[in-house]
Amino acid sequence: MLCSRRTAVFCLALVAPALRSQIYAAADPNSGAVQSVPTQAGQLFALGNQARASHGLAALEWDKALAAGAMQHCMWMAQGSQIAHRYRGEPELTERAAQAGAHFSLIEENIAVGPYASGIHQGWMNSPEHRANLLSLGVDRVGIAVIARGARLYAVADYAHAVPVLTQPQVEAGIAGMLRASGLTVQSSASEARAYCASSGRLNGAGAPSFLMRWQSPDVSKLPPELAARVASGAYRQAAVGSCPAQNVDGAFTVYRTAVLLYGADAATLENR
């Protein structure tokens, strides 16, 4: 965790599945007089998108769920003796955002305390780590919360790459559509592909497909490169598609697990992925 002091105190956490921020002394989010100031949050949102535009980056969309999670943490910060990314008894960033209803494959956070929103924004822009979060190519949504306590503003900005919420049939339909667009016939039954998706072993037996692959990704808008190359080879005529719950993934991150079975090549070349 990086901390620096200018006209305000700034702290940063980059949160990924294997990275956890430091836990500070307990704070009581239910004590003291604090007031939400959405106009200041709106100002930080506008300033952030202005900065992104000046660097040729797409504007971030406002995310209500991220903002709700940010507000929960902002309440904790406003009651603590020092600002931090997590307090004892508080969920970590990924869990907090997920509980608020956000779905994401990446999430990052900037926090600050200062006298005014424009100064907080400038402090983030002057800090390489905070600036990297705000100008990240990997995020497309943001939720910001600002709370006033006395003459101080406490600010939390949660940046994320959003993942659409899809049902099992929707995931399968999307993959099947890409396969059909490449000239393959997709079997109507997904049972065998779903069973292979949910397993960790190999698939054998009479009539087994020539190539099998299962993978996990938050992005179901494109095929994995190896699978795309197989499909483009013209060696396969049919496919089966199945989706199942993701395995060995932090539950706060939205990831889809999918399997595709390809038929039509020499059965002796059977490969399992």
Side-chain angles (χ1 to χ4, degrees):
M1 175 171 292
L2 169 71
C3 293
S4 62
R5 187 176 296 274
R6 294 186 180 86
T7 57
V9 178
F10 301 93
C11 292
L12 166 76
L14 298 176
V15 179
L19 183 60
R20 299 293 181 259
S21 55
Q22 184 175 353
I23 302 175
Y24 278 77
D28 181 359
N30 299 311
S31 65
V34 298
Q35 179 182 4
S36 172
V37 278
T39 56
Q40 299 298 312
Q43 184 177 357
L44 284 174
F45 177 61
L47 289 170
N49 274 335
Q50 288 172 17
R52 289 180 65 88
S54 69
H55 287 79
L57 301 174
L60 299 179
E61 293 185 32
W62 183 267
D63 189 298
K64 291 182 179 179
L66 287 175
M71 179 57 70
Q72 293 174 17
H73 184 61
C74 210
M75 290 291 292
W76 282 87
M77 285 204 323
Q79 301 297 342
S81 58
Q82 58 183 319
I83 64 170
H85 287 281
R86 187 185 179 192
Y87 297 92
R88 186 173 296 120
E90 181 192 24
E92 63 180 351
L93 171 57
T94 54
E95 184 180 354
R96 166 170 36 98
Q99 288 176 351
H103 295 268
F104 49 85
S105 59
L106 169 70
I107 188 165
E108 304 170 348
E109 179 171 89
N110 285 353
I111 63 176
V113 56
Y116 45 89
S118 59
I120 288 173
H121 169 75
Q122 194 57 52
W124 285 343
M125 291 298 293
N126 290 340
S127 164
E129 293 84 357
H130 298 75
R131 178 188 177 96
N133 278 355
L134 201 158
L135 300 181
S136 172
L137 288 171
V139 300
D140 55 15
R141 306 291 174 88
V142 65
I144 303 173
V146 178
I147 285 178
R149 185 179 185 187
R152 286 182 150 194
L153 295 179
Y154 294 82
V156 177
D158 289 341
Y159 309 91
H161 181 80
V163 175
V165 182
L166 303 174
T167 64
Q168 182 185 45
Q170 287 175 326
V171 173
E172 293 169 350
I175 299 297
M178 287 184 278
L179 295 175
R180 290 192 185 97
S182 297
L184 296 182
T185 299
V186 179
Q187 297 178 0
S188 59
S189 174
S191 58
E192 189 173 30
R194 287 178 177 178
Y196 178 66
C197 179
S199 72
S200 58
R202 300 175 65 85
L203 180 64
N204 298 299
S210 304
F211 177 79
L212 306 89
M213 185 173 187
R214 55 191 161 210
W215 72 97
Q216 296 188 170
S217 174
D219 184 2
V220 294
S221 66
K222 57 187 177 183
L223 301 176
E226 182 180 4
L227 179 59
R230 291 277 182 167
V231 171
S233 71
Y236 306 94
R237 297 188 300 272
Q238 294 187 22
V241 180
S243 180
C244 61
Q247 299 179 9
N248 303 315
V249 175
D250 184 329
F253 291 85
T254 301
V255 177
Y256 299 102
R257 183 175 175 89
T258 314
V260 167
L261 318 181
L262 297 180
Y263 301 83
D266 184 352
T269 65
L270 172 64
E271 296 183 53
N272 285 256
R273 291 288 188 273

